[in-house]
Amino acid sequence: MSEKKVYCFGLEKKRYQTQGINNRMPMEYRMIMWMWIDELVKEYGNADYLQVFNFSIGTENGRQYQYIEHIQEAPEYKEVYRMELIDEGVEGKVFVIDDGEQCTMLWAEEY
């Protein structure tokens, strides 16, 4: 009997976000996070059920930038992105969790 492989973050799964994400996270950043997860799945064929995004604001040469660190444990993955601020920028940790049936984006403190 062959074992069924479970693919996390498949495109057929419904995607949800909490009211906290809707209220405090600009739409552009939400779309970017989903896009990065999709690219990760495309590259590795799968992704960890837990994706972590750490948002911080930093200054370089007198300009403020948004930094987003994207992490997963298995397979090990870590990437840091720098981009222009959207609105006033965002600080905090976001989890995107695939529970097997659906995917949910939420602030770490909402977990």
Side-chain angles (χ1 to χ4, degrees):
M1 180 186 281
S2 67
E3 184 177 317
K4 182 179 179 188
K5 192 166 186 179
V6 177
Y7 290 93
C8 291
F9 295 101
L11 294 175
E12 73 285 351
K13 292 185 182 177
K14 292 189 181 197
R15 295 178 171 185
Y16 297 96
Q17 48 210 7
T18 63
Q19 192 64 39
I21 289 289
N22 283 335
N23 291 339
R24 295 177 27 218
M25 179 66 68
M27 176 62 78
E28 294 89 345
Y29 291 147
R30 288 183 259 161
M31 292 173 66
I32 287 169
M33 286 186 282
W34 288 120
M35 181 188 72
W36 286 338
I37 293 168
D38 291 341
E39 288 176 359
L40 193 64
V41 170
K42 188 184 287 185
E43 182 175 335
Y44 290 102
N46 203 351
D48 195 352
Y49 78 97
L50 175 63
Q51 301 292 305
V52 179
F53 294 90
N54 293 306
F55 283 77
S56 61
I57 298 170
T59 303
E60 286 184 33
N61 300 322
R63 281 186 77 170
Q64 285 193 314
Y65 292 97
Q66 180 73 65
Y67 290 89
I68 306 171
E69 179 185 48
H70 178 194
I71 303 168
Q72 75 169 20
E73 287 187 5
E76 190 172 323
Y77 177 84
K78 178 180 177 182
E79 190 72 46
V80 179
Y81 302 93
R82 183 189 84 170
M83 60 187 62
E84 299 291 325
L85 289 178
I86 296 174
D87 299 329
E88 293 84 41
V90 174
E91 293 194 291
K93 182 180 287 190
V94 173
F95 293 152
V96 184
I97 301 170
D98 182 332
D99 69 6
E101 295 183 19
Q102 63 191 28
C103 305
T104 305
M105 183 180 292
L106 64 152
W107 291 103
E109 63 264 20
E110 294 179 304
Y111 183 71

